[in-house]
Amino acid sequence: MTNRTYARLLPALLAAPLLCAMAPGDMSVAAFLARAASLERLGPLALATPQGNQLKGEVVAAGKRYKARIDAERRAGRKTTSCPPESGSLSPDQWLAHLRSYPAPVRSKVSVYSAFDALMKKRYPCPA
């Protein structure tokens, strides 16, 4: 290959990782649980690691996407899929228990965002 060919390919090669990158919250439940399992031995120190921060970021991003969607549905006057309070808490143990409730064969097909949405529907159903 000539330098000219490399010059034409370089922008595409540099852009590929950006185009293929997943949005925060799009990690699969299976991937999340696998990474969490590797950190569990560290206990509370796990959150101080880069991988622990990444997992926390996945959950925070899923929560922000969820809240933005619920707020938009409310502003538009549409019925929401769940009715959470303005603020709440979710412990890591509660979150991991919810993720582990998914059968192993489907964990790779469910995103962290979808799992967060399902948990909110379960914890905060709207009154009939």
Side-chain angles (χ1 to χ4, degrees):
M1 291 182 142
T2 65
N3 284 345
R4 198 169 163 164
T5 305
Y6 285 120
R8 281 187 285 171
L9 290 176
L10 189 60
L13 293 173
L14 293 175
L18 297 174
L19 296 174
C20 297
M22 295 186 313
D26 285 344
M27 178 186 288
S28 74
V29 168
F32 189 97
L33 287 174
R35 291 179 184 182
S38 71
L39 293 173
E40 280 183 313
R41 63 180 170 74
L42 298 174
L45 296 175
L47 288 176
T49 66
Q51 195 171 28
N53 276 331
Q54 181 191 17
L55 293 180
K56 181 182 175 185
E58 286 287 320
V59 180
V60 168
K64 287 180 179 180
R65 280 176 59 188
Y66 166 81
K67 181 164 177 16
R69 193 193 81 229
I70 292 292
D71 289 347
E73 287 173 350
R74 286 179 177 156
R75 280 191 306 274
R78 293 190 300 264
K79 185 177 177 187
T80 59
T81 56
S82 57
C83 295
E86 277 303 310
S87 65
S89 64
L90 178 64
S91 75
D93 289 335
Q94 291 170 320
W95 174 244
L96 290 172
H98 173 68
L99 295 183
R100 290 180 181 127
S101 73
Y102 285 91
V106 300
R107 289 177 182 173
S108 63
K109 298 175 182 86
V110 178
S111 70
V112 167
Y113 174 71
S114 296
F116 191 92
D117 185 58
L119 180 61
M120 293 299 105
K121 287 178 188 175
K122 189 164 91 174
R123 286 183 79 177
Y124 304 110
C126 293

